Amino acid sequence: MSDIKKIKEEFLNKLSDKLDLSEINEIKSNLFGKNGLISSQFKMIGSVPDNEKKKFASDLNNVKDELQDLINSKIDELQNIEINKKLEKEKIDVTLPERNFIRGKIHPVSQTIDEISSIFSEIGFSVEEGPDVENEYNNFTALNTPDNHPARDMHDTFYLDEKKETLLRTHTSPVQIRTMMKDKPPFKIIAPGRTYRSDSDQTHSPMFHQVEGLHIDKDINMGHLKGCLNYFIKEFFEVEKIKMRFRPSHFPFTEPSAEVDIGYEIKDGKIKIGEGDQWLEILGCGMVHPNVLKNVKVDPTKFQGYAFGIGIDRLAMLKYGINDLRAFFDCDYRWLNHFGFDPLDVPTNYRGLSR
Ligand code: DAH
């Protein structure tokens, strides 16, 4: 019997056994792999005498086709069996009751951050970010905050090492430093984010949110600051006119410094912004201190500008009638369901800015 016939008989025999997919694949490579039996036969064609060449080649091709067809149909067969087994297991029972569908809500703080970013972006501010874990230099020293300043006290600040070199940022102001260190003036940015202080009661929580603002250019003065804040407060509370007052204050990183109050009254149990004669403090601000500019290598004789820091949680509480700050961080789904925002609802003054 010729070699080709022998190969055929032997493999027909082998293939008649009950085989699994990996065994068939092994046979396939024994036959048709680079050094497989069929492949080696093809390599021998050159040494077959001329008068037998034609027959040898045609026999070889026939056996090759036959075995290949057989192997492929076996593989198909086994794959089908496996697919059917899988389908059997994954059968969908359409009679089962549907699962409860809970749609998530946007947290009021996230919503407020989106609204604030959107309003400031309308007047040319871009959004910057900084890390929650900050170094002492960016958080205090570069911001002209002296060693003996009460903000540096352990009672106020969460230090992360004994040497007090790293800490959880106590305000978003270090983003001013980071922004000015990495770029050249002018700067016109806001920086919303989480901030931390060792404080906890109905109106203070150890983690809270601020948005920092910074505008540095050649001719920026307090009038610009006032105009910008006036515009922001009106847009944010969606009112035509507001009452706003600047109260002299002190921050080491601004000179002069001010705190801003807005006028409000309570009518029918609801807070009305822009009316009445009650005052509520909502932010700190001022003209950036020349020492801060010097610390970030900006020449204070050429550039100047304003900065502000707004408490985001306070604004969210005011706008959405939430009276306990702690609820923001309780992770109570029922609360979120009530005060949260539908992701598909577009708020009235939301202009589609995505963070
Ligand atoms: N960083 C201040 C705070 O947390 C708020 C603040 C005041 C920020 C004045 C400023 C500013 O940028 O100019 O109390």
Side-chain angles (χ1 to χ4, degrees), residues 171 173 176 197 210 212 251 253-254 284-286 307-309:
H171 49 181
S173 304
Q176 289 187 30
R197 275 179 218 172
Q210 288 189 337
E212 193 74 13
F251 298 103
F253 32 90
T254 42
C285 61
F308 55 84

Side-chain angles (χ1 to χ4, degrees), residues 56-320:
F56 181 89
S58 124
D59 285 353
L60 185 56
N61 267 323
N62 287 341
V63 169
K64 182 194 116 195
D65 288 346
E66 195 180 334
L67 288 176
Q68 220 164 28
D69 286 349
L70 191 64
I71 287 178
N72 285 343
S73 72
K74 285 252 172 201
I75 290 179
D76 278 354
E77 197 183 307
L78 283 178
Q79 276 176 340
N80 275 339
I81 294 177
E82 259 172 38
I83 289 174
N84 284 334
K85 265 197 217 153
K86 232 178 171 181
L87 284 176
E88 190 66 26
K89 260 199 254 155
E90 291 171 1
K91 218 176 191 173
I92 297 171
D93 182 352
V94 289
T95 64
L96 283 175
E98 69 192 71
R99 287 221 183 95
N100 245 354
F101 180 76
I102 302 176
R103 188 198 271 167
K105 291 270 186 148
I106 306 230
H107 195 284
V109 171
S110 304
Q111 170 79 13
T112 305
I113 290 176
D114 275 350
E115 289 174 14
I116 293 173
S117 306
S118 163
I119 293 167
F120 279 111
S121 77
E122 283 277 299
I123 49 171
F125 285 81
S126 56
V127 178
E128 285 287 335
E129 274 184 344
D132 292 11
V133 174
E134 200 31 290
N135 58 52
E136 170 282 325
Y137 181 79
N138 289 345
N139 197 82
F140 293 127
T141 308
L143 286 161
N144 199 36
T145 306
D147 262 349
N148 60 355
H149 196 278
R152 286 183 177 246
D153 201 294
M154 292 286 266
H155 294 294
D156 246 340
T157 302
F158 293 113
Y159 288 97
L160 299 176
D161 60 351
E162 302 238 323
K163 286 196 195 147
K164 294 181 163 186
E165 281 168 357
T166 40
L167 43 86
L168 294 177
R169 64 178 179 187
T170 59
H171 49 181
T172 42
S173 304
V175 188
Q176 289 187 30
I177 302 300
R178 286 179 175 271
T179 306
M180 293 195 281
M181 296 242 260
K182 74 172 192 245
D183 277 328
K184 295 246 162 305
F187 303 104
K188 196 172 183 188
I189 59 116
I190 56 159
R194 284 185 288 268
T195 45
Y196 305 83
R197 275 179 218 172
S198 185
D199 228 349
S200 185
D201 59 39
Q202 193 173 344
T203 51
H204 296 92
S205 100
M207 188 205 57
F208 55 106
H209 299 83
Q210 288 189 337
V211 57
E212 193 74 13
L214 174 74
H215 187 182
I216 302 287
D217 209 332
K218 289 206 164 125
D219 295 304
I220 300 296
N221 59 47
M222 266 195 119
H224 296 113
L225 169 63
K226 210 168 173 181
C228 164
L229 293 175
N230 196 292
Y231 167 80
F232 165 69
I233 294 163
K234 281 200 285 205
E235 286 287 306
F236 182 77
F237 288 107
E238 298 172 55
V239 290
E240 295 280 309
K241 61 174 179 43
I242 51 155
K243 288 166 84 176
M244 180 172 89
R245 78 178 176 197
F246 274 54
R247 240 179 328 100
S249 183
H250 171 76
F251 298 103
F253 32 90
T254 42
E255 181 60 39
S257 306
E259 277 170 316
V260 172
D261 302 333
I262 51 171
Y264 74 97
E265 68 178 353
I266 307 278
K267 233 187 203 166
D268 306 325
K270 276 203 166 152
I271 185 158
K272 285 248 178 291
I273 304 289
E275 292 163 34
D277 51 12
Q278 315 257 64
W279 294 96
L280 194 79
E281 180 201 319
I282 58 160
L283 63 94
C285 61
M287 297 305 289
V288 176
H289 198 291
N291 286 350
V292 174
L293 295 177
K294 277 184 212 152
N295 288 339
V296 293
K297 315 250 172 324
V298 170
D299 183 349
T301 61
K302 293 199 177 108
F303 290 96
Q304 58 179 347
Y306 60 80
F308 55 84
I310 310 176
I312 292 178
D313 314 86
R314 166 80 67 96
L315 285 192
M317 287 168 80
L318 277 174
K319 183 162 176 178
Y320 297 115

